[in-house]
């Protein structure tokens, strides 16, 4: 792997590098329709979204979904999302920012709660895989948080210092996972959360990935 003593970025995928918010909203509304729930607007989704995902559903239903309801909604979400993700693209400027970070001799990786077997070919298909020293997607059931996955991810990056690592993501859970391992975080408003909910976390919040990278560089120094 080589020694990476400079700043390291752990990128989130969905809603951060991968601009898939329209597919996510459509998939969420398809899942809600299974239980007769009203569809959400993007603004309402960003206002209420949280992980673990069943808690998000509780905010809308007034109760946690039953086991059978969760399985139905989860399966519907992933089926719809898989059909519609093909129309999604990388976030604006993402490919250039990844290349610039690599060319500067710094390392970066991806940790996503998207299924690993689906994530890797998707990243590869955009031609950006060579920029990363590791790409990890979720293994096991969906719907949970990222903290323990972050522990395993950074443990696998044996030459990366958590104190000089910055997590860039679109969700409060990204910042919690960063804090859990002693890393820093920058949160991006282009994905799943409203600016207000991100600002409540207490880490830098930005509106573009270019700002996120600049902030990561500052935090890691």
């Amino acid at each position: 792997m080589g020694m990476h003593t400079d700043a390291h970025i752990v990128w989130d995928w969905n809603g951060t590098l991968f601009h898939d918010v329209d597919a996510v909203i459509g998939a969420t509304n398809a899942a809600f329709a299974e239980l007769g729930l009203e569809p959400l607007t993007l603004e309402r989704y960003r206002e209420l979204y949280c992980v673990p995902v069943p808690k998000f559903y509780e905010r809308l239903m007034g109760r946690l979904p039953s086991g059978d309801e969760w399985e139905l909604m989860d399966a519907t979400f992933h089926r719809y999302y898989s059909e519609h993700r093909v129309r999604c693209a990388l976030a604006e400027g993402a490919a250039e920012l990844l290349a610039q970070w690599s060319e500067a001799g710094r390392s970066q990786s991806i940790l996503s709660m998207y299924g690993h077997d689906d994530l890797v070919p998707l990243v590869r298909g955009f031609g950006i895989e060579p920029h990363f020293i590791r790409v990890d997607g979720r293994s096991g059931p969906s719907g949970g948080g990222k903290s323990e996955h972050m522990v395993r991810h950074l443990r696998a990056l044996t030459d990366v210092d958590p104190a000089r690592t910055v997590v860039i993501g679109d969700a409060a859970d990204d910042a919690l996972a960063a804090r859990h391992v002693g890393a820093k975080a920058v949160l991006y408003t282009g994905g799943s959360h409203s600016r207000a909910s991100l600002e409540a976390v207490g880490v830098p919040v930005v509106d573009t990935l270019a700002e996120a990278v600049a902030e990561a560089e500052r935090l890691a120094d």
Side-chain angles (χ1 to χ4, degrees), residues 92-169:
E92 183 179 356
E96 293 80 6
L97 290 166
L98 295 172
Q100 290 164 11
W101 189 263
S102 293
E103 288 163 4
R106 301 186 176 106
S107 62
Q108 53 197 329
S109 59
I110 292 176
L111 175 61
S112 173
M113 292 297 92
Y114 192 44
H116 184 79
D117 291 342
D118 293 315
L119 173 67
V120 171
L122 190 53
V123 172
R124 189 171 295 149
F126 283 111
I128 58 175
E129 188 182 23
H131 296 310
F132 304 107
I133 59 173
R134 188 173 182 90
V135 175
D136 282 335
R138 171 185 47 79
S139 59
S142 62
K146 185 175 275 189
S147 291
E148 292 309 314
H149 295 270
M150 186 68 74
V151 171
R152 291 192 292 272
H153 183 73
L154 285 190
R155 189 177 293 148
L157 303 178
T158 53
D159 297 318
V160 168
D161 181 2
R164 302 209 64 202
T165 295
V166 180
V167 176
I168 297 178

